[in-house]
Short mmCIF file of all heavy atoms in Angstrom, two decimals:
data_model
loop_
_atom_site.label_atom_id
_atom_site.label_comp_id
_atom_site.label_asym_id
_atom_site.label_seq_id
_atom_site.Cartn_x
_atom_site.Cartn_y
_atom_site.Cartn_z
N MET R 1 121.02 -52.65 -73.38
CA MET R 1 120.81 -54.08 -73.40
C MET R 1 120.09 -54.48 -72.13
O MET R 1 120.55 -54.16 -71.03
CB MET R 1 122.16 -54.79 -73.51
CG MET R 1 122.06 -56.27 -73.54
SD MET R 1 123.69 -56.97 -73.80
CE MET R 1 123.32 -58.64 -73.49
N PRO R 2 118.98 -55.19 -72.24
CA PRO R 2 118.28 -55.62 -71.04
C PRO R 2 119.06 -56.70 -70.28
O PRO R 2 119.80 -57.48 -70.88
CB PRO R 2 116.97 -56.18 -71.57
CG PRO R 2 117.21 -56.49 -72.99
CD PRO R 2 118.28 -55.57 -73.46
N ARG R 3 118.88 -56.70 -68.99
CA ARG R 3 119.56 -57.70 -68.17
C ARG R 3 118.96 -59.07 -68.41
O ARG R 3 117.78 -59.21 -68.69
CB ARG R 3 119.43 -57.33 -66.70
CG ARG R 3 120.19 -56.08 -66.34
CD ARG R 3 120.11 -55.82 -64.88
NE ARG R 3 120.64 -56.96 -64.15
CZ ARG R 3 121.68 -56.92 -63.34
NH1 ARG R 3 122.29 -55.78 -63.15
NH2 ARG R 3 122.10 -58.00 -62.72
N HIS R 4 119.78 -60.06 -68.31
CA HIS R 4 119.31 -61.43 -68.47
C HIS R 4 119.69 -62.22 -67.24
O HIS R 4 120.51 -61.80 -66.44
CB HIS R 4 119.90 -62.08 -69.73
CG HIS R 4 121.39 -62.06 -69.76
ND1 HIS R 4 122.16 -63.01 -69.16
CD2 HIS R 4 122.26 -61.19 -70.32
CE1 HIS R 4 123.43 -62.75 -69.34
NE2 HIS R 4 123.52 -61.63 -70.03
N GLU R 5 119.08 -63.37 -67.09
CA GLU R 5 119.35 -64.18 -65.90
C GLU R 5 120.72 -64.84 -66.01
O GLU R 5 121.19 -65.18 -67.10
CB GLU R 5 118.26 -65.22 -65.72
CG GLU R 5 118.13 -66.18 -66.86
CD GLU R 5 116.91 -67.06 -66.74
OE1 GLU R 5 115.96 -66.70 -66.03
OE2 GLU R 5 116.92 -68.11 -67.37
N PHE R 6 121.35 -65.01 -64.87
CA PHE R 6 122.65 -65.64 -64.79
C PHE R 6 122.49 -67.14 -65.01
O PHE R 6 121.66 -67.78 -64.37
CB PHE R 6 123.28 -65.36 -63.42
CG PHE R 6 124.60 -66.03 -63.22
CD1 PHE R 6 125.68 -65.71 -64.02
CD2 PHE R 6 124.76 -66.97 -62.23
CE1 PHE R 6 126.90 -66.34 -63.84
CE2 PHE R 6 125.98 -67.59 -62.03
CZ PHE R 6 127.05 -67.27 -62.84
N GLN R 7 123.28 -67.70 -65.91
CA GLN R 7 123.22 -69.13 -66.21
C GLN R 7 124.60 -69.74 -65.96
O GLN R 7 125.47 -69.74 -66.83
CB GLN R 7 122.76 -69.35 -67.63
CG GLN R 7 121.36 -68.85 -67.87
CD GLN R 7 120.89 -69.05 -69.27
OE1 GLN R 7 121.69 -69.25 -70.18
NE2 GLN R 7 119.59 -69.02 -69.47
N PRO R 8 124.81 -70.27 -64.74
CA PRO R 8 126.13 -70.79 -64.39
C PRO R 8 126.55 -72.01 -65.20
O PRO R 8 127.74 -72.23 -65.42
CB PRO R 8 126.00 -71.13 -62.91
CG PRO R 8 124.55 -71.29 -62.66
CD PRO R 8 123.86 -70.40 -63.64
N GLY R 9 125.61 -72.80 -65.68
CA GLY R 9 125.96 -73.95 -66.50
C GLY R 9 126.62 -73.55 -67.81
O GLY R 9 127.62 -74.14 -68.24
N ARG R 10 126.10 -72.53 -68.44
CA ARG R 10 126.68 -72.04 -69.68
C ARG R 10 128.04 -71.39 -69.44
O ARG R 10 128.95 -71.52 -70.27
CB ARG R 10 125.75 -71.04 -70.35
CG ARG R 10 124.54 -71.71 -70.95
CD ARG R 10 123.71 -70.73 -71.72
NE ARG R 10 122.55 -71.41 -72.27
CZ ARG R 10 121.75 -70.87 -73.15
NH1 ARG R 10 121.97 -69.64 -73.57
NH2 ARG R 10 120.72 -71.55 -73.61
N LEU R 11 128.18 -70.69 -68.32
CA LEU R 11 129.47 -70.11 -67.98
C LEU R 11 130.51 -71.20 -67.80
O LEU R 11 131.63 -71.11 -68.32
CB LEU R 11 129.35 -69.27 -66.70
CG LEU R 11 130.65 -68.70 -66.14
CD1 LEU R 11 131.24 -67.68 -67.09
CD2 LEU R 11 130.42 -68.10 -64.78
N LEU R 12 130.16 -72.24 -67.06
CA LEU R 12 131.09 -73.34 -66.82
C LEU R 12 131.44 -74.06 -68.11
O LEU R 12 132.61 -74.39 -68.35
CB LEU R 12 130.49 -74.31 -65.81
CG LEU R 12 131.37 -75.45 -65.33
CD1 LEU R 12 132.64 -74.90 -64.68
CD2 LEU R 12 130.61 -76.30 -64.36
N ALA R 13 130.47 -74.30 -68.97
CA ALA R 13 130.73 -74.95 -70.25
C ALA R 13 131.69 -74.11 -71.11
O ALA R 13 132.62 -74.64 -71.72
CB ALA R 13 129.43 -75.20 -71.00
N GLY R 14 131.48 -72.81 -71.13
CA GLY R 14 132.36 -71.93 -71.88
C GLY R 14 133.78 -71.94 -71.34
O GLY R 14 134.75 -71.99 -72.10
N LEU R 15 133.92 -71.90 -70.03
CA LEU R 15 135.25 -71.93 -69.43
C LEU R 15 135.97 -73.24 -69.72
O LEU R 15 137.18 -73.26 -69.99
CB LEU R 15 135.16 -71.70 -67.92
CG LEU R 15 134.77 -70.30 -67.46
CD1 LEU R 15 134.57 -70.27 -65.96
CD2 LEU R 15 135.82 -69.30 -67.89
N ILE R 16 135.24 -74.33 -69.70
CA ILE R 16 135.84 -75.64 -69.98
C ILE R 16 136.29 -75.73 -71.42
O ILE R 16 137.40 -76.19 -71.72
CB ILE R 16 134.84 -76.75 -69.63
CG1 ILE R 16 134.68 -76.83 -68.12
CG2 ILE R 16 135.27 -78.09 -70.19
CD1 ILE R 16 133.49 -77.62 -67.68
N LEU R 17 135.48 -75.26 -72.34
CA LEU R 17 135.86 -75.32 -73.75
C LEU R 17 137.01 -74.38 -74.06
O LEU R 17 137.88 -74.71 -74.88
CB LEU R 17 134.65 -75.02 -74.63
CG LEU R 17 133.57 -76.10 -74.59
CD1 LEU R 17 132.36 -75.68 -75.40
CD2 LEU R 17 134.10 -77.43 -75.08
N VAL R 18 137.05 -73.22 -73.43
CA VAL R 18 138.19 -72.31 -73.61
C VAL R 18 139.46 -72.95 -73.07
O VAL R 18 140.53 -72.89 -73.69
CB VAL R 18 137.92 -70.95 -72.95
CG1 VAL R 18 139.18 -70.12 -72.83
CG2 VAL R 18 136.87 -70.19 -73.73
N THR R 19 139.36 -73.61 -71.92
CA THR R 19 140.53 -74.29 -71.34
C THR R 19 141.03 -75.40 -72.26
O THR R 19 142.24 -75.54 -72.47
CB THR R 19 140.16 -74.88 -69.96
OG1 THR R 19 139.72 -73.83 -69.11
CG2 THR R 19 141.35 -75.57 -69.33
N ALA R 20 140.11 -76.18 -72.82
CA ALA R 20 140.51 -77.23 -73.76
C ALA R 20 141.18 -76.63 -74.99
O ALA R 20 142.18 -77.16 -75.48
CB ALA R 20 139.31 -78.08 -74.16
N GLY R 21 140.64 -75.53 -75.48
CA GLY R 21 141.24 -74.86 -76.64
C GLY R 21 142.64 -74.34 -76.34
O GLY R 21 143.55 -74.46 -77.16
N VAL R 22 142.82 -73.78 -75.15
CA VAL R 22 144.15 -73.28 -74.76
C VAL R 22 145.13 -74.44 -74.63
O VAL R 22 146.29 -74.33 -75.04
CB VAL R 22 144.05 -72.45 -73.45
CG1 VAL R 22 145.42 -72.20 -72.86
CG2 VAL R 22 143.33 -71.14 -73.71
N LEU R 23 144.67 -75.55 -74.06
CA LEU R 23 145.55 -76.72 -73.94
C LEU R 23 145.97 -77.24 -75.31
O LEU R 23 147.14 -77.59 -75.53
CB LEU R 23 144.87 -77.82 -73.13
CG LEU R 23 144.75 -77.56 -71.63
CD1 LEU R 23 143.93 -78.66 -70.98
CD2 LEU R 23 146.11 -77.45 -70.99
N TYR R 24 145.03 -77.31 -76.25
CA TYR R 24 145.38 -77.73 -77.60
C TYR R 24 146.32 -76.73 -78.27
O TYR R 24 147.23 -77.11 -78.99
CB TYR R 24 144.13 -77.92 -78.46
CG TYR R 24 143.59 -79.32 -78.42
CD1 TYR R 24 142.29 -79.55 -78.02
CD2 TYR R 24 144.36 -80.41 -78.78
CE1 TYR R 24 141.77 -80.84 -77.97
CE2 TYR R 24 143.87 -81.70 -78.73
CZ TYR R 24 142.57 -81.90 -78.33
OH TYR R 24 142.07 -83.17 -78.28
N LEU R 25 146.12 -75.45 -78.03
CA LEU R 25 147.01 -74.43 -78.59
C LEU R 25 148.42 -74.56 -78.02
O LEU R 25 149.41 -74.47 -78.76
CB LEU R 25 146.44 -73.03 -78.29
CG LEU R 25 147.24 -71.85 -78.83
CD1 LEU R 25 147.22 -71.86 -80.35
CD2 LEU R 25 146.67 -70.55 -78.31
N LEU R 26 148.52 -74.78 -76.72
CA LEU R 26 149.83 -74.99 -76.11
C LEU R 26 150.50 -76.24 -76.66
O LEU R 26 151.72 -76.26 -76.87
CB LEU R 26 149.70 -75.08 -74.59
CG LEU R 26 149.38 -73.79 -73.86
CD1 LEU R 26 149.13 -74.07 -72.38
CD2 LEU R 26 150.50 -72.78 -74.02
N ASP R 27 149.73 -77.27 -76.89
CA ASP R 27 150.29 -78.49 -77.46
C ASP R 27 150.75 -78.27 -78.90
O ASP R 27 151.79 -78.77 -79.31
CB ASP R 27 149.25 -79.61 -77.40
CG ASP R 27 149.84 -80.96 -77.76
OD1 ASP R 27 151.00 -81.22 -77.40
OD2 ASP R 27 149.12 -81.76 -78.39
N ALA R 28 149.98 -77.50 -79.66
CA ALA R 28 150.33 -77.25 -81.06
C ALA R 28 151.58 -76.39 -81.19
O ALA R 28 152.36 -76.56 -82.14
CB ALA R 28 149.17 -76.59 -81.78
N THR R 29 151.78 -75.47 -80.26
CA THR R 29 152.97 -74.61 -80.33
C THR R 29 154.19 -75.26 -79.71
O THR R 29 155.29 -74.73 -79.83
CB THR R 29 152.71 -73.27 -79.62
OG1 THR R 29 152.36 -73.51 -78.26
CG2 THR R 29 151.61 -72.49 -80.31
N GLY R 30 154.02 -76.40 -79.07
CA GLY R 30 155.15 -77.10 -78.49
C GLY R 30 155.45 -76.71 -77.05
O GLY R 30 156.44 -77.16 -76.48
N GLU R 31 154.63 -75.86 -76.46
CA GLU R 31 154.84 -75.42 -75.08
C GLU R 31 154.50 -76.52 -74.08
O GLU R 31 155.03 -76.54 -72.98
CB GLU R 31 153.99 -74.18 -74.78
CG GLU R 31 154.35 -72.97 -75.61
CD GLU R 31 155.72 -72.43 -75.27
OE1 GLU R 31 156.12 -72.47 -74.09
OE2 GLU R 31 156.40 -71.99 -76.22
N ALA R 32 153.60 -77.40 -74.45
CA ALA R 32 153.19 -78.49 -73.57
C ALA R 32 153.07 -79.76 -74.40
O ALA R 32 152.80 -79.71 -75.60
CB ALA R 32 151.86 -78.17 -72.90
N ASP R 33 153.28 -80.88 -73.77
CA ASP R 33 153.14 -82.16 -74.45
C ASP R 33 151.99 -82.92 -73.80
O ASP R 33 152.16 -83.58 -72.78
CB ASP R 33 154.44 -82.95 -74.35
CG ASP R 33 154.39 -84.22 -75.18
OD1 ASP R 33 153.62 -84.24 -76.16
OD2 ASP R 33 155.11 -85.17 -74.84
N LEU R 34 150.80 -82.78 -74.38
CA LEU R 34 149.60 -83.40 -73.81
C LEU R 34 149.19 -84.60 -74.65
O LEU R 34 149.11 -84.51 -75.87
CB LEU R 34 148.45 -82.40 -73.80
CG LEU R 34 148.67 -81.14 -72.98
CD1 LEU R 34 147.56 -80.15 -73.25
CD2 LEU R 34 148.73 -81.49 -71.52
N PRO R 35 148.92 -85.72 -74.00
CA PRO R 35 148.37 -86.85 -74.77
C PRO R 35 146.93 -86.55 -75.18
O PRO R 35 146.20 -85.85 -74.49
CB PRO R 35 148.44 -88.01 -73.78
CG PRO R 35 148.55 -87.39 -72.43
CD PRO R 35 149.15 -86.04 -72.60
N TRP R 36 146.53 -87.08 -76.31
CA TRP R 36 145.19 -86.78 -76.83
C TRP R 36 144.10 -87.28 -75.90
O TRP R 36 143.02 -86.71 -75.84
CB TRP R 36 145.00 -87.37 -78.22
CG TRP R 36 145.01 -88.87 -78.23
CD1 TRP R 36 146.09 -89.67 -78.39
CD2 TRP R 36 143.89 -89.73 -78.04
NE1 TRP R 36 145.73 -90.98 -78.31
CE2 TRP R 36 144.38 -91.06 -78.11
CE3 TRP R 36 142.54 -89.53 -77.83
CZ2 TRP R 36 143.55 -92.15 -77.96
CZ3 TRP R 36 141.72 -90.63 -77.69
CH2 TRP R 36 142.22 -91.91 -77.75
N PHE R 37 144.38 -88.36 -75.18
CA PHE R 37 143.35 -88.94 -74.33
C PHE R 37 143.17 -88.19 -73.02
O PHE R 37 142.34 -88.56 -72.21
CB PHE R 37 143.63 -90.42 -74.07
CG PHE R 37 144.98 -90.70 -73.49
CD1 PHE R 37 145.20 -90.61 -72.13
CD2 PHE R 37 146.04 -91.05 -74.31
CE1 PHE R 37 146.44 -90.86 -71.59
CE2 PHE R 37 147.29 -91.31 -73.78
CZ PHE R 37 147.49 -91.21 -72.42
N LEU R 38 143.90 -87.13 -72.80
CA LEU R 38 143.72 -86.33 -71.59
C LEU R 38 142.66 -85.25 -71.77
O LEU R 38 141.82 -85.05 -70.90
CB LEU R 38 145.05 -85.68 -71.19
CG LEU R 38 145.00 -84.71 -70.02
CD1 LEU R 38 144.78 -85.50 -68.74
CD2 LEU R 38 146.27 -83.91 -69.94
N VAL R 39 142.66 -84.59 -72.91
CA VAL R 39 141.78 -83.44 -73.12
C VAL R 39 140.34 -83.87 -73.39
O VAL R 39 139.40 -83.24 -72.91
CB VAL R 39 142.33 -82.55 -74.26
CG1 VAL R 39 141.40 -81.39 -74.53
CG2 VAL R 39 143.71 -82.04 -73.90
N ILE R 40 140.15 -84.95 -74.11
CA ILE R 40 138.80 -85.38 -74.46
C ILE R 40 137.98 -85.79 -73.23
O ILE R 40 136.86 -85.31 -73.05
CB ILE R 40 138.83 -86.48 -75.54
CG1 ILE R 40 139.36 -85.88 -76.83
CG2 ILE R 40 137.46 -87.10 -75.74
CD1 ILE R 40 139.60 -86.86 -77.93
N PRO R 41 138.50 -86.63 -72.33
CA PRO R 41 137.71 -86.94 -71.12
C PRO R 41 137.51 -85.72 -70.22
O PRO R 41 136.46 -85.58 -69.59
CB PRO R 41 138.53 -88.01 -70.40
CG PRO R 41 139.40 -88.59 -71.43
CD PRO R 41 139.67 -87.50 -72.41
N MET R 42 138.51 -84.83 -70.16
CA MET R 42 138.36 -83.62 -69.37
C MET R 42 137.21 -82.77 -69.91
O MET R 42 136.37 -82.26 -69.16
CB MET R 42 139.65 -82.80 -69.37
CG MET R 42 139.55 -81.53 -68.55
SD MET R 42 140.89 -80.40 -68.81
CE MET R 42 140.50 -79.76 -70.42
N THR R 43 137.14 -82.65 -71.22
CA THR R 43 136.08 -81.86 -71.85
C THR R 43 134.72 -82.51 -71.64
O THR R 43 133.75 -81.83 -71.27
CB THR R 43 136.36 -81.70 -73.35
OG1 THR R 43 137.64 -81.09 -73.53
CG2 THR R 43 135.31 -80.84 -74.02
N MET R 44 134.63 -83.80 -71.84
CA MET R 44 133.34 -84.48 -71.67
C MET R 44 132.88 -84.46 -70.21
O MET R 44 131.71 -84.23 -69.93
CB MET R 44 133.44 -85.93 -72.17
CG MET R 44 133.69 -86.03 -73.66
SD MET R 44 132.51 -85.11 -74.66
CE MET R 44 131.03 -86.00 -74.33
N GLY R 45 133.80 -84.67 -69.29
CA GLY R 45 133.45 -84.60 -67.88
C GLY R 45 133.02 -83.19 -67.48
O GLY R 45 132.08 -83.01 -66.71
N GLY R 46 133.72 -82.20 -68.02
CA GLY R 46 133.35 -80.82 -67.73
C GLY R 46 132.00 -80.45 -68.29
O GLY R 46 131.23 -79.72 -67.65
N LEU R 47 131.68 -80.93 -69.47
CA LEU R 47 130.37 -80.65 -70.05
C LEU R 47 129.26 -81.34 -69.26
O LEU R 47 128.16 -80.78 -69.11
CB LEU R 47 130.33 -81.05 -71.52
CG LEU R 47 131.17 -80.16 -72.45
CD1 LEU R 47 131.13 -80.72 -73.87
CD2 LEU R 47 130.70 -78.73 -72.43
N CYS R 48 129.53 -82.54 -68.76
CA CYS R 48 128.55 -83.21 -67.91
C CYS R 48 128.35 -82.44 -66.61
O CYS R 48 127.23 -82.29 -66.13
CB CYS R 48 128.98 -84.65 -67.62
SG CYS R 48 128.87 -85.72 -69.06
N LEU R 49 129.44 -81.93 -66.05
CA LEU R 49 129.35 -81.12 -64.83
C LEU R 49 128.57 -79.83 -65.11
O LEU R 49 127.74 -79.42 -64.30
CB LEU R 49 130.74 -80.80 -64.31
CG LEU R 49 130.81 -79.93 -63.06
CD1 LEU R 49 130.18 -80.66 -61.88
CD2 LEU R 49 132.25 -79.56 -62.76
N ALA R 50 128.81 -79.22 -66.26
CA ALA R 50 128.07 -78.01 -66.63
C ALA R 50 126.58 -78.30 -66.79
O ALA R 50 125.74 -77.48 -66.40
CB ALA R 50 128.64 -77.42 -67.92
N ALA R 51 126.25 -79.46 -67.35
CA ALA R 51 124.83 -79.83 -67.47
C ALA R 51 124.20 -80.01 -66.10
O ALA R 51 123.07 -79.56 -65.87
CB ALA R 51 124.69 -81.11 -68.29
N LEU R 52 124.92 -80.64 -65.19
CA LEU R 52 124.40 -80.83 -63.84
C LEU R 52 124.19 -79.49 -63.14
O LEU R 52 123.16 -79.26 -62.51
CB LEU R 52 125.36 -81.70 -63.03
CG LEU R 52 124.97 -81.98 -61.59
CD1 LEU R 52 123.69 -82.80 -61.54
CD2 LEU R 52 126.10 -82.71 -60.88
N VAL R 53 125.15 -78.58 -63.29
CA VAL R 53 125.01 -77.24 -62.69
C VAL R 53 123.83 -76.51 -63.31
O VAL R 53 123.06 -75.84 -62.60
CB VAL R 53 126.32 -76.44 -62.87
CG1 VAL R 53 126.13 -74.98 -62.53
CG2 VAL R 53 127.43 -77.04 -62.02
N GLY R 54 123.64 -76.63 -64.61
CA GLY R 54 122.51 -76.00 -65.27
C GLY R 54 121.17 -76.54 -64.79
O GLY R 54 120.22 -75.78 -64.59
N ILE R 55 121.09 -77.84 -64.58
CA ILE R 55 119.85 -78.44 -64.09
C ILE R 55 119.55 -77.98 -62.67
O ILE R 55 118.40 -77.65 -62.34
CB ILE R 55 119.95 -79.98 -64.16
CG1 ILE R 55 119.92 -80.43 -65.62
CG2 ILE R 55 118.84 -80.65 -63.37
CD1 ILE R 55 120.26 -81.89 -65.82
N VAL R 56 120.57 -77.93 -61.83
CA VAL R 56 120.37 -77.47 -60.45
C VAL R 56 119.95 -76.00 -60.43
O VAL R 56 119.03 -75.61 -59.70
CB VAL R 56 121.64 -77.71 -59.60
CG1 VAL R 56 121.55 -77.00 -58.27
CG2 VAL R 56 121.88 -79.18 -59.41
N ALA R 57 120.60 -75.18 -61.25
CA ALA R 57 120.24 -73.75 -61.30
C ALA R 57 118.80 -73.57 -61.79
O ALA R 57 118.06 -72.73 -61.29
CB ALA R 57 121.21 -73.00 -62.20
N TYR R 58 118.40 -74.37 -62.78
CA TYR R 58 117.03 -74.28 -63.28
C TYR R 58 116.02 -74.69 -62.20
O TYR R 58 114.98 -74.06 -62.05
CB TYR R 58 116.86 -75.17 -64.52
CG TYR R 58 115.44 -75.23 -65.01
CD1 TYR R 58 114.89 -74.15 -65.69
CD2 TYR R 58 114.65 -76.34 -64.79
CE1 TYR R 58 113.58 -74.18 -66.13
CE2 TYR R 58 113.35 -76.39 -65.23
CZ TYR R 58 112.82 -75.31 -65.90
OH TYR R 58 111.52 -75.35 -66.34
N ALA R 59 116.35 -75.75 -61.46
CA ALA R 59 115.44 -76.20 -60.40
C ALA R 59 115.29 -75.13 -59.32
O ALA R 59 114.18 -74.89 -58.82
CB ALA R 59 115.95 -77.50 -59.78
N ILE R 60 116.38 -74.47 -58.97
CA ILE R 60 116.32 -73.40 -57.97
C ILE R 60 115.49 -72.24 -58.50
O ILE R 60 114.64 -71.69 -57.80
CB ILE R 60 117.73 -72.95 -57.57
CG1 ILE R 60 118.42 -74.07 -56.80
CG2 ILE R 60 117.69 -71.67 -56.77
CD1 ILE R 60 119.89 -73.82 -56.56
N ARG R 61 115.73 -71.87 -59.75
CA ARG R 61 115.00 -70.75 -60.36
C ARG R 61 113.51 -71.06 -60.44
O ARG R 61 112.66 -70.22 -60.16
CB ARG R 61 115.57 -70.49 -61.75
CG ARG R 61 115.30 -69.12 -62.27
CD ARG R 61 116.00 -68.85 -63.59
NE ARG R 61 117.44 -69.08 -63.52
CZ ARG R 61 118.10 -69.98 -64.26
NH1 ARG R 61 117.46 -70.71 -65.13
NH2 ARG R 61 119.40 -70.12 -64.13
N ARG R 62 113.15 -72.30 -60.81
CA ARG R 62 111.75 -72.70 -60.91
C ARG R 62 111.08 -72.70 -59.54
O ARG R 62 109.94 -72.25 -59.40
CB ARG R 62 111.66 -74.09 -61.53
CG ARG R 62 110.23 -74.52 -61.81
CD ARG R 62 110.17 -75.90 -62.36
NE ARG R 62 110.69 -76.82 -61.34
CZ ARG R 62 111.13 -78.03 -61.58
NH1 ARG R 62 111.16 -78.49 -62.81
NH2 ARG R 62 111.57 -78.80 -60.61
N ASP R 63 111.81 -73.14 -58.51
CA ASP R 63 111.26 -73.15 -57.16
C ASP R 63 110.99 -71.73 -56.68
O ASP R 63 109.95 -71.45 -56.08
CB ASP R 63 112.23 -73.86 -56.21
CG ASP R 63 111.67 -74.01 -54.82
OD1 ASP R 63 110.50 -74.44 -54.70
OD2 ASP R 63 112.39 -73.69 -53.85
N ARG R 64 111.92 -70.82 -56.96
CA ARG R 64 111.70 -69.41 -56.55
C ARG R 64 110.52 -68.81 -57.29
O ARG R 64 109.74 -68.05 -56.73
CB ARG R 64 112.95 -68.59 -56.83
CG ARG R 64 114.05 -68.84 -55.86
CD ARG R 64 115.22 -67.94 -56.13
NE ARG R 64 116.32 -68.25 -55.25
CZ ARG R 64 117.54 -67.77 -55.39
NH1 ARG R 64 117.80 -66.96 -56.39
NH2 ARG R 64 118.49 -68.11 -54.55
N ARG R 65 110.40 -69.14 -58.58
CA ARG R 65 109.28 -68.61 -59.37
C ARG R 65 107.96 -69.14 -58.84
O ARG R 65 106.98 -68.41 -58.74
CB ARG R 65 109.47 -68.98 -60.83
CG ARG R 65 108.42 -68.40 -61.75
CD ARG R 65 108.68 -68.72 -63.21
NE ARG R 65 108.84 -70.15 -63.42
CZ ARG R 65 109.85 -70.69 -64.09
NH1 ARG R 65 110.78 -69.93 -64.62
NH2 ARG R 65 109.91 -72.01 -64.25
N ASP R 66 107.92 -70.42 -58.49
CA ASP R 66 106.69 -71.01 -57.94
C ASP R 66 106.32 -70.38 -56.61
O ASP R 66 105.15 -70.13 -56.33
CB ASP R 66 106.84 -72.52 -57.79
CG ASP R 66 106.88 -73.24 -59.12
OD1 ASP R 66 106.52 -72.63 -60.14
OD2 ASP R 66 107.30 -74.42 -59.12
N ARG R 67 107.30 -70.12 -55.77
CA ARG R 67 107.04 -69.50 -54.47
C ARG R 67 106.51 -68.08 -54.63
O ARG R 67 105.60 -67.67 -53.92
CB ARG R 67 108.30 -69.47 -53.62
CG ARG R 67 108.67 -70.79 -53.04
CD ARG R 67 109.85 -70.64 -52.14
NE ARG R 67 110.36 -71.93 -51.74
CZ ARG R 67 111.46 -72.10 -51.03
NH1 ARG R 67 112.17 -71.04 -50.66
NH2 ARG R 67 111.86 -73.30 -50.69
N SER R 68 107.09 -67.32 -55.56
CA SER R 68 106.64 -65.93 -55.74
C SER R 68 105.23 -65.88 -56.32
O SER R 68 104.42 -65.04 -55.96
CB SER R 68 107.60 -65.15 -56.60
OG SER R 68 107.59 -65.63 -57.92
N SER R 69 104.90 -66.79 -57.23
CA SER R 69 103.54 -66.79 -57.80
C SER R 69 102.54 -67.30 -56.78
O SER R 69 101.39 -66.86 -56.76
CB SER R 69 103.48 -67.65 -59.06
OG SER R 69 103.69 -69.01 -58.76
N GLU R 70 102.97 -68.17 -55.89
CA GLU R 70 102.10 -68.69 -54.85
C GLU R 70 101.78 -67.59 -53.83
O GLU R 70 100.64 -67.46 -53.38
CB GLU R 70 102.78 -69.88 -54.15
CG GLU R 70 101.90 -70.62 -53.19
CD GLU R 70 102.66 -71.82 -52.63
OE1 GLU R 70 102.76 -72.82 -53.36
OE2 GLU R 70 103.15 -71.73 -51.50
N SER R 71 102.76 -66.78 -53.50
CA SER R 71 102.53 -65.72 -52.51
C SER R 71 101.71 -64.57 -53.10
O SER R 71 100.99 -63.89 -52.40
CB SER R 71 103.85 -65.20 -51.98
OG SER R 71 104.59 -64.58 -53.00
N SER R 72 101.79 -64.35 -54.42
CA SER R 72 101.02 -63.28 -55.03
C SER R 72 99.55 -63.68 -55.21
O SER R 72 98.69 -62.81 -55.37
CB SER R 72 101.62 -62.89 -56.39
OG SER R 72 101.52 -63.97 -57.30
N GLU R 73 99.26 -64.97 -55.24
CA GLU R 73 97.87 -65.42 -55.36
C GLU R 73 97.07 -65.24 -54.09
O GLU R 73 95.86 -65.22 -54.11
CB GLU R 73 97.85 -66.89 -55.79
CG GLU R 73 98.31 -67.13 -57.19
CD GLU R 73 98.37 -68.60 -57.55
OE1 GLU R 73 98.10 -69.44 -56.67
OE2 GLU R 73 98.70 -68.90 -58.69
N ARG R 74 97.76 -65.18 -52.98
CA ARG R 74 97.06 -65.08 -51.69
C ARG R 74 96.52 -63.71 -51.45
O ARG R 74 96.61 -62.72 -51.80
CB ARG R 74 97.99 -65.44 -50.55
CG ARG R 74 98.32 -66.90 -50.58
CD ARG R 74 99.23 -67.24 -49.45
NE ARG R 74 99.61 -68.63 -49.57
CZ ARG R 74 100.29 -69.26 -48.66
NH1 ARG R 74 100.65 -68.66 -47.57
NH2 ARG R 74 100.61 -70.51 -48.81
#
């Protein structure tokens, strides 16, 4: 399998959704008593944070790519 670039936004989004799923599972089994309005804002806030991390990572990656192509042109 060829290596691929690290995408921290997708990693964070996956971790947030897994955490929300585990919280709902704990609530369904009776291990925890979570109000419904706790998990939804946590998930939405986490996805917004993941989008922000993804945008920052893309900007850094684009800047590095521009610098390397600029130095190879010289």
